Amino acid sequence: MIKGCLITFVERIDIQRIMNRTTIEDALFPGCPIRNILSRFGDKWSLLVIYTLDKQNRAVRFKELQREISDISQKMLTVTLRTLEEDGLVTRTVYPEVPPRVEYLLTERAKSLLPHINALIGWALENMDAIMSDRKTAVGKE
């Protein structure tokens, strides 16, 4: 197996879901913000990429992002960045150099989302122990 080509089943499902770029809006529920907006960046990888770019507070190269999020595959990071770029949350700047240099930066739209992401992370931190305990209890009952 080629290094970096091993992806998990969950990543494969995420890639299939995210890579369907022909769907601009949900046909059955065109006015639903959850199906049409939140689902595009509400996955594990998109939130981690947004959080990581915010943490860096500057333009970041692809490999640097990949090092920061060490458990993401190259393909999944590429798909995630493209999706975030399509939705106007990330800008991608390509410099005409050899080798090519590509940098990613959060847009103002993404920055306006950060307080909400940070609030969600805060909620997760406050409730993590209780949720993990409930999961263990639920698994023990099966």
Side-chain angles (χ1 to χ4, degrees):
M1 174 123 333
I2 300 170
K3 184 180 184 220
C5 288
L6 180 63
I7 61 172
T8 66
F9 175 75
V10 173
E11 279 185 319
R12 185 178 304 274
I13 298 303
D14 278 348
I15 289 169
Q16 290 170 349
R17 181 183 59 80
I18 291 171
M19 288 183 83
N20 182 8
R21 293 195 211 295
T22 57
T23 304
I24 294 172
E25 102 182 343
D26 188 278
L28 294 175
F29 303 96
C32 179
I34 295 170
R35 289 180 178 90
N36 292 294
I37 305 301
L38 297 179
S39 66
R40 293 273 290 198
F41 64 82
D43 63 284
K44 167 172 92 170
W45 299 122
S46 295
L47 289 177
L48 276 170
V49 167
I50 291 169
Y51 177 80
T52 303
L53 285 170
D54 177 51
K55 208 171 57 168
Q56 299 299 322
N57 202 26
R58 60 177 168 76
V60 178
R61 295 179 79 165
F62 184 91
K63 284 294 183 187
E64 188 177 351
L65 267 175
Q66 198 173 25
R67 277 192 300 272
E68 287 289 318
I69 310 170
S70 59
D71 54 335
I72 192 170
S73 68
Q74 181 174 340
K75 183 170 186 168
M76 195 68 222
L77 181 56
T78 300
V79 169
T80 301
L81 286 165
R82 282 189 191 142
T83 302
L84 292 172
E85 183 183 11
E86 288 171 0
D87 287 350
L89 298 171
V90 169
T91 58
R92 177 179 186 261
T93 305
V94 180
Y95 297 93
E97 301 171 354
V98 178
R101 178 171 51 117
V102 180
E103 293 180 338
Y104 297 90
L105 186 65
L106 292 179
T107 63
E108 290 303 314
R109 181 178 298 155
K111 290 177 184 176
S112 73
L113 178 61
L114 290 171
H116 307 287
I117 291 174
N118 290 331
L120 188 58
I121 292 168
W123 178 88
L125 285 169
E126 286 175 15
N127 291 280
M128 187 170 175
D129 290 340
I131 291 171
M132 298 307 282
S133 176
D134 290 345
R135 282 184 190 169
K136 289 176 185 171
T137 302
V139 168
K141 290 180 181 178
E142 293 177 358

